[in-house]
Amino acid sequence: MTSLLSGIRANSQSPGGVYRSLNDPRLFEPTPLRDSLDEALTTYVSSDSRPRRDAPTLSDFTRRVHGYEILNQYVVGGQWRALALASESSIIETFADDQRTLLKYWVYRILALTQMGASEVADRELGRLEQVSGLKKWPFELRVLRAQVPGLAHGMWIKSVDRLCALLRGCRRQADQNQRVFRLSLMLLKCVVEMQDSSLATQILDQVTIEDDPLVLSAAARMYLQLGGIPAAERLFVRVEGMVAKDDKLTLMNRALYAVAAGKWETAREMFARVHGECPEHLAAGNNLALCDLYLGQPQAMLNGLQALMGEAPAAAGTSEELVFNYCTGLDLHYDGAKLRDAKAKKLVEVATWAGDGFHTSSFKLT
């Protein structure tokens, strides 16, 4: 970014606290370019063993508009820092009266910031954006991001719930919005997990389960299991089995998770193994199969299973934070000292070879 633009941006508001347009450079804050995975590699892996990773700079993206095709490539590749910089440049260089295009670019900008762990920056930029353009003009995806940001940035999950519920009510009033209703319902369920308020979570789950979508009902039932509401979960699982075939993967996963909640690890393992055998790319089945091995007293089998799963699909399973966390938990139980450090450093290199920006290095349990 030019020194002139940097100087303007440092003075975040124009006189009277009014922003001129959707492409006003003062709407932006400096894009955080640090990446925790790069920092972990520097700390725990020797320089000759580190994989090469792209490190975007401001000068790579300034003063031009980037097409949607390029931006979508950044999304697919998890190159969130590049996406944040490219979308910022595109916004600044787009004509101020082309509001529809500008708001599309803003979707990319806010998405990038949230995915790279800079949700507080996203929250402040959205606040400024609201001063320029009313919410009714915003595309649906931007309003969804606005709903998610309070929880991500400040742990204000109830505020996210309120905003998601408002969007959900609007979608339910339209007959052709089933996919949006489904997505918003799942987002609400994710908020439930974060809130750790069983009473309020139950109220939200009761609202979500008015839907007749087996995927939503299954997700809600699994949340009830996490809250200890086994009878409520069972009722929803029964509803689901009335909608889908009993040998369907969804039904088998539901039964397996119910068995886990009941402490029937061998039964659960058999069902997870069946799903994983029929659908090797089903990460949840493979992950839970490995966890069953752990709880059945076979930590080495757990490690072997997770390593095989991640090795077969390094760009998907290999960069799953949940799988990496479980694998490193298994390492903690099986090794210690230098052997443990070497095993985690090796896994760090494997993940860094495939992962994009924003990977949470806490999954490695390095400290």
Side-chain angles (χ1 to χ4, degrees):
M1 191 62 64
T2 64
S3 58
L4 174 61
L5 186 55
S6 298
I8 291 175
R9 186 180 297 171
N11 188 7
S12 64
Q13 289 191 338
S14 55
V18 177
Y19 298 101
R20 296 192 301 264
S21 62
L22 290 170
N23 66 350
D24 191 327
R26 292 166 295 181
L27 294 169
F28 298 95
E29 295 191 9
T31 300
L33 295 179
R34 296 176 60 189
D35 180 71
S36 60
L37 198 50
D38 289 339
E39 294 174 356
L41 286 169
T42 301
T43 303
Y44 296 101
V45 178
S46 61
S47 57
D48 59 331
S49 299
R50 295 172 200 156
R52 183 180 180 278
R53 288 172 55 80
D54 291 332
T57 62
L58 287 170
S59 60
D60 295 331
F61 296 94
T62 55
R63 312 306 295 176
R64 62 192 173 99
V65 173
H66 300 261
Y68 295 133
E69 183 177 355
I70 296 297
L71 299 183
N72 288 331
Q73 288 178 9
Y74 291 146
V75 172
V76 172
Q79 296 174 268
W80 305 116
R81 290 176 291 178
L83 181 63
L85 293 171
S87 55
E88 176 185 356
S89 173
S90 298
I91 291 168
I92 292 172
E93 294 301 315
T94 297
F95 290 114
D97 58 355
D98 191 356
Q99 294 194 16
R100 183 176 180 181
T101 298
L102 284 166
L103 287 170
K104 284 184 179 180
Y105 282 131
W106 271 106
V107 173
Y108 285 106
R109 170 69 179 180
I110 300 302
L111 173 65
L113 290 173
T114 56
Q115 291 295 321
M116 61 194 284
S119 295
E120 292 184 6
V121 175
D123 188 39
R124 291 191 291 270
E125 291 189 2
L126 282 171
R128 298 181 192 121
L129 191 62
E130 286 187 59
Q131 298 179 37
V132 180
S133 173
L135 295 179
K136 291 183 179 180
K137 296 181 180 179
W138 289 17
F140 177 75
E141 296 296 339
L142 189 56
R143 284 180 283 148
V144 170
L145 288 167
R146 174 183 175 271
Q148 294 176 300
V149 159
L152 295 172
H154 310 293
M156 299 171 63
W157 296 106
I158 191 61
K159 190 171 184 178
S160 286
V161 166
D162 288 342
R163 291 180 175 181
L164 287 169
C165 284
L167 290 172
L168 191 56
R169 286 192 296 271
C171 291
R172 281 175 174 159
R173 288 194 290 266
Q174 303 179 54
D176 60 345
Q177 299 293 308
N178 290 341
Q179 284 299 317
R180 288 183 174 182
V181 167
F182 171 69
R183 285 182 54 209
L184 292 169
S185 297
L186 292 185
M187 290 177 189
L188 275 171
L189 292 175
K190 290 180 181 178
C191 290
V192 167
V193 174
E194 298 291 345
M195 288 167 59
Q196 299 182 348
D197 183 329
S198 58
S199 176
L200 184 56
T202 300
Q203 294 178 40
I204 296 171
L205 286 169
D206 288 342
Q207 291 296 313
V208 170
T209 53
I210 66 175
E211 307 297 336
D212 280 327
D213 188 304
L215 290 174
V216 172
L217 292 175
S218 295
R222 295 171 190 184
M223 296 297 175
Y224 274 123
L225 289 180
Q226 293 184 40
L227 295 170
I230 293 180
E234 184 178 13
R235 287 193 294 272
L236 291 181
F237 284 147
V238 170
R239 280 178 64 184
V240 171
E241 294 202 10
M243 301 176 185
V244 299
K246 291 187 177 181
D247 59 351
D248 185 87
K249 290 190 292 293
L250 180 63
T251 300
L252 292 173
M253 286 295 293
N254 287 343
R255 290 183 175 185
L257 292 167
Y258 187 81
V260 167
K264 298 179 179 179
W265 293 101
E266 291 186 359
T267 300
R269 190 190 186 286
E270 291 176 4
M271 293 183 180
F272 288 132
R274 179 177 171 185
V275 175
H276 185 56
E278 295 175 357
C279 188
E281 67 274 13
H282 198 301
L283 298 188
N287 182 44
N288 282 294
L289 173 61
L291 289 177
C292 286
D293 285 330
L294 175 64
Y295 282 96
L296 288 169
Q298 303 176 54
Q300 186 60 58
M302 172 203 182
L303 290 173
N304 293 342
L306 288 177
Q307 183 59 40
L309 187 63
M310 292 186 284
E312 290 167 3
T319 59
S320 164
E321 293 174 1
E322 182 179 4
L323 266 64
V324 171
F325 178 85
N326 289 338
Y327 181 80
C328 290
T329 298
L331 291 177
D332 287 339
L333 295 172
H334 205 58
Y335 301 112
D336 58 17
K339 195 166 186 177
L340 176 62
R341 290 193 299 273
D342 290 345
K344 288 189 176 183
K346 180 181 179 182
K347 178 53 61 180
L348 177 59
V349 170
E350 292 174 0
V351 172
T353 301
W354 295 94
D357 303 328
F359 189 94
H360 290 92
T361 53
S362 58
S363 303
F364 294 102
K365 306 176 73 174
L366 292 167
T367 56

